Each structure stands twice: as C-alpha cells, then as structure tokens.
Amino acid sequence: MDVFNAMAEIRMAASRALALLHKQHVNFTADRAEAIAELCDGAEAAIAAVRDMATGAALDDAALAAFMDNNGGLL
C-alpha cells in the first residue's frame, strides 16, 4: 500500500506543479529552467525504475544509477 501512496503523491505533486505553472505564467531563467528539467529527468528515471520493477521488465540500471547519483542515493 505504501508504494501506491508514494506513486499517488508523485502524481499529485506533478499536477500541482502544472497548476502553478498554468496560473502564474512564469518565465524562468535558463538556470532555473535547466534545474526543473533535471528534476523532471530524475523523476522520470525513478518512475521508470518503479514501473520496471513492478512489471518485471528489465531495469534500466543506467537511468536508476544516474537518478541516485543526482539525488544523493536517497533510494
């Protein structure tokens, strides 16, 4: 059940980010846009790893390793 709750939190957080961007029409500096893009890449890698583990698909070790390196090994 914890896995479902964690994945639901990710989905809700992404929805909140979209809503904020839609409401505020923010123009980001290049550095901030790059930082957000890197956060998205890391989230995508983590989600792909969860999907791969849940479905028994081959785990993308490189993407997971990059995510862990960029996030201080939080997994």
Side-chain angles (χ1 to χ4, degrees), residues 2-72:
D2 290 339
V3 172
F4 290 103
N5 289 335
M7 294 306 295
E9 288 174 17
I10 292 168
R11 187 174 181 175
M12 292 304 299
S15 294
R16 285 191 302 272
L18 283 170
L20 287 170
L21 288 171
H22 180 71
K23 288 179 185 178
Q24 297 180 6
H25 302 289
V26 177
N27 290 323
F28 293 105
T29 63
D31 289 342
R32 288 185 179 178
E34 184 178 337
I36 290 172
E38 288 178 9
L39 287 170
C40 291
D41 291 343
E44 288 173 354
I47 291 167
V50 170
R51 181 185 301 116
D52 289 348
M53 292 176 84
T55 62
L59 185 61
D60 184 348
D61 292 333
L64 181 58
F67 174 78
M68 291 178 68
D69 286 345
N70 291 333
N71 293 288

